[in-house]
Amino acid sequence: MLGKQAKVLAKSDVKKLLRVTNRGRLGIRDRAIILLAVRAGLRASEIAGLTWEMVLDANGNVAAFLDIRGVIAKRHRGRRVPVHPQLLKTLEALKASSCSLDLGSPVIASRRGRGLRSNSLVNWFIATCRRAGLEGCSSHSGRRTFITLAARNAHRAGASLRDVQLLAGHSSIETTQLYIDGDSDAQHRLVSMIGR
């Protein structure tokens, strides 16, 4: 991860992005793109490659976990990611609005029903962030936001940084740590608690 990292999104930034996506013709699909990045930590290539087979359970309902298979994951490191409630509602709405729901069809499709390429999603994120008035954001901003928030809240769930690493699909904990954005206010609070 050399060079400048993508910006971690504040709660207000995510709200701005979701407002912008609600304006378009493909609002539900666009909302799903944002939430797959911010609430599930998916890469643009994983969002582009995600099929309904990886999202639905045996009964055809949105499953409790996204099954990110090795065929779409970086370095073929598949993983299972629990579905956030906000993402669940959006995926259910997207499923209901889909004309044809073949298990092999892409979850995120173009106007013509075809899958999008990773590069198209990267460009979509950049354009959407600009429309929302956000600078320094990219498709990786959602992923960094997910990983940072997961790391900051891991202790509340009884989880560890290892759990965050597994959710991110990283082969090493060091890679996960590179994604986590520091918080100077939290550092001050932490230091002030030492010795109490």
Side-chain angles (χ1 to χ4, degrees):
M1 291 202 50
L2 299 172
K4 189 175 179 183
Q5 289 186 320
K7 176 183 174 182
V8 172
L9 302 169
K11 198 176 201 176
S12 60
D13 296 338
V14 175
K15 286 181 180 180
K16 285 178 188 176
L17 285 170
L18 292 174
R19 270 197 303 274
V20 166
T21 61
N22 285 338
R23 295 181 201 147
R25 279 184 31 197
L26 299 169
I28 296 169
R29 182 208 71 176
D30 293 350
R31 182 179 181 85
I33 293 171
I34 296 295
L35 294 176
L36 285 165
V38 175
R39 300 292 186 244
L42 270 58
R43 300 171 176 95
S45 60
E46 293 167 341
I47 295 170
L50 194 67
T51 62
W52 285 107
E53 183 178 32
M54 299 176 204
V55 173
L56 302 178
D57 64 18
N59 297 321
N61 299 314
V62 175
F65 290 87
L66 296 177
D67 183 18
I68 309 305
R69 303 214 175 133
V71 296
I72 67 167
K74 189 174 181 178
R75 296 194 178 109
H76 304 285
R77 296 187 56 83
R79 63 193 186 281
R80 294 181 74 209
V81 179
V83 177
H84 186 280
Q86 190 179 20
L87 177 57
L88 175 72
K89 287 180 184 178
T90 301
L91 289 173
E92 286 173 342
L94 187 60
K95 178 186 164 235
S97 72
S98 295
C99 299
S100 127
L101 200 59
D102 174 15
L103 288 178
S105 65
V107 173
I108 304 301
S110 69
R111 287 185 176 98
R112 295 181 179 161
R114 297 186 190 126
L116 298 175
R117 293 185 183 163
S118 300
N119 289 344
S120 297
L121 273 173
V122 168
N123 293 333
W124 180 91
F125 268 104
I126 292 168
T128 303
C129 288
R130 278 192 193 128
R131 284 195 340 249
L134 303 176
E135 297 294 322
C137 297
S138 70
S139 61
H140 231 56
S141 292
R143 183 165 166 78
R144 281 202 69 219
T145 301
F146 172 80
I147 294 169
T148 296
L149 292 176
R152 288 181 185 166
N153 290 290
H155 70 285
R156 291 182 182 158
S160 69
L161 196 52
R162 171 74 174 143
D163 295 304
V164 178
Q165 175 194 351
L166 294 171
L167 288 172
H170 289 147
S171 58
S172 74
I173 202 88
E174 290 82 12
T175 303
T176 304
Q177 289 173 323
L178 291 173
Y179 276 73
I180 301 168
D181 199 35
D183 182 342
S184 59
D185 291 338
Q187 292 166 15
H188 284 285
R189 287 191 304 272
L190 179 61
V191 169
S192 69
M193 296 169 103
I194 295 173
R196 282 188 182 176

